[in-house]
């Protein structure tokens, strides 16, 4: 596919699949950092095959669901608490994917699915809102088929704070950021349960720079809800802020 770099302010050689999507659509529908960049990075480590049943947990405005259905041909259950299912259904139909994606409104802690229903569960930039609970993995894994894949990508810390929030991050660090942890913290949380085999636990190379590129694109079109974050992230330069990826198989 011929990508016009000059007309795509989100063009990034690191994420070729994401480059195919309209940057305004991504900017309007990402509820945090660039949803498609994060989804593409996560899916590099997951073996998705056509017609697999995939739960997109905490899907937001379902653009990750669109990406999964278009790029891998999977069936997606787009599940979210904050976004109305009808709104997501309209976005899904606009993409011609009404036979591939099924939007559902609901809480990640009280899901209506059958045990063993999904081949894969992914969560993009949302697992921090419910997955830090010590008991959550035990609840979630029951919806996976034996050997099924759980993959998450989320903002996190490259190292722990030594003495409270660093001065340069204080205007960035909201109360919801206390759910941010290091990759080692997440790995231990999952490993100790004995419920899954962890295949990948890593951080995005130059993840903070990717975050800055996203913020600069938002600034360029006047769609940055927290414009002060751009300068803060540049000052951090990846010392603390970045992205974390975990992929595991249910035992």
């Amino acid at each position: 596919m011929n990508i016009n770099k000059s007309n795509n302010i989100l063009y990034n050689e690191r994420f070729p699949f994401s480059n195919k999507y309209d940057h305004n659509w991504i900017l309007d529908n990402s509820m945090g950092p660039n949803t498609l960049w994060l989804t593409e990075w996560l899916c590099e480590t997951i073996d998705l095959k056509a017609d697999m049943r995939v739960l997109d947990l905490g899907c937001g405005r379902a653009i990750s669901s669109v990406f999964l259905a278009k790029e891998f041909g999977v069936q997606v259950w787009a599940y979210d608490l904050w976004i109305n299912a009808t709104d997501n259904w309209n976005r899904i139909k606009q993409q011609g994917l009404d036979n591939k994606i099924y939007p559902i409104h609901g809480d990640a802690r009280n899901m209506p699915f059958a045990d063993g229903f999904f081949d894969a569960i992914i969560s993009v930039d949302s697992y921090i809102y419910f997955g830090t609970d010590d008991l959550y993995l035990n609840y979630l894994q029951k919806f996976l088929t034996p050997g099924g894949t759980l993959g998450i990508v989320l903002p996190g810390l490259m190292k722990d704070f030594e003495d409270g929030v660093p001065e340069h991050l204080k205007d960035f660090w909201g109360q919801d950021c206390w759910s941010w942890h290091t990759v080692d913290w997440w790995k231990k949380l999952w490993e100790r349960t004995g419920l899954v085999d962890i295949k990948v636990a890593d951080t995005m190379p130059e993840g903070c720079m990717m975050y800055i590129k996203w913020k600069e694109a938002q600034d360029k079109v006047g769609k940055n809800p927290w414009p002060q974050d751009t300068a803060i992230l540049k000052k951090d330069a990846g010392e603390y802020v970045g992205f974390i990826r975990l992929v595991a198989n249910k035992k």
Side-chain angles (χ1 to χ4, degrees):
M1 186 173 183
N2 225 355
I3 306 296
N4 189 331
K5 301 180 188 180
S6 62
N7 291 334
N8 184 356
I9 63 173
L10 293 177
Y11 180 84
N12 192 323
E13 290 184 0
R14 176 70 178 78
F15 302 111
F17 292 164
S18 301
N19 289 334
K20 296 185 285 186
Y21 295 81
D22 178 70
H23 66 258
N24 286 311
W25 182 74
I26 300 171
L27 284 159
D28 288 341
N29 291 300
S30 290
M31 295 176 65
N34 189 317
T35 301
L36 295 199
W37 288 352
L38 296 181
T39 307
E40 184 166 350
W41 182 53
L42 177 61
C43 290
E44 290 172 357
T45 58
I46 300 177
D47 186 20
L48 294 175
K49 294 183 172 63
D51 295 324
M52 276 185 168
R53 291 190 296 271
V54 177
L55 173 62
D56 187 0
L57 179 58
C59 67
R61 295 191 176 96
I63 67 170
S64 50
S65 304
V66 168
F67 182 91
L68 291 166
K70 282 194 172 184
E71 301 303 326
F72 302 101
V74 295
Q75 301 178 73
V76 186
W77 279 255
Y79 192 86
D80 197 82
L81 177 63
W82 294 348
I83 301 300
N84 183 282
T86 302
D87 291 343
N88 277 343
W89 182 234
N90 290 333
R91 265 183 292 277
I92 290 161
K93 288 190 292 184
Q94 286 168 6
Q95 295 294 322
L97 292 168
D98 44 306
N99 63 338
K100 279 288 189 180
I101 306 175
Y102 315 105
I104 301 175
H105 178 264
D107 193 318
R109 300 177 184 88
N110 184 24
M111 295 194 286
F113 306 112
D115 291 359
F117 183 76
F118 292 107
D119 301 299
I121 297 173
I122 76 154
S123 183
V124 177
D125 192 27
S126 58
Y127 200 80
I128 50 175
Y129 296 109
F130 42 81
T132 56
D133 183 334
D134 290 343
L135 305 180
Y136 189 71
L137 182 62
N138 181 51
Y139 170 73
L140 183 62
Q141 58 85 32
K142 72 179 183 178
F143 300 109
L144 278 172
T145 185
T149 301
L150 171 62
I152 67 172
V153 58
L154 62 171
L157 297 177
M158 301 301 98
K159 64 180 182 181
D160 283 316
F161 301 152
E162 292 182 4
D163 186 23
V165 180
E167 191 64 33
H168 72 277
L169 287 178
K170 284 185 176 177
D171 288 337
F172 174 88
W173 196 261
Q175 285 299 315
D176 56 344
C177 291
W178 289 114
S179 62
W180 291 26
H181 297 286
T182 65
V183 67
D184 287 340
W185 187 95
W186 283 105
K187 188 177 179 185
K188 287 174 185 175
L189 181 70
W190 283 13
E191 275 182 337
R192 68 186 183 184
T193 67
L195 295 169
V196 295
D197 288 318
I198 296 177
K199 303 301 181 185
V200 177
D202 63 2
T203 60
M204 181 186 286
E206 298 186 348
C208 191
M209 181 54 64
M210 295 299 176
Y211 207 158
I212 291 166
K213 286 182 178 180
W214 168 250
K215 285 294 177 182
E216 288 177 334
Q218 287 184 309
D219 290 335
K220 190 171 184 178
V221 295
K223 294 179 179 178
N224 189 349
W226 300 285
Q228 74 277 6
D229 287 357
T230 310
I232 293 171
L233 290 169
K234 286 181 178 179
K235 190 167 186 178
D236 184 75
E239 182 181 4
Y240 291 102
V241 176
F243 296 106
I244 289 166
R245 173 175 66 179
L246 280 91
V247 177
N249 293 120
K250 178 180 177 178
K251 288 186 178 179

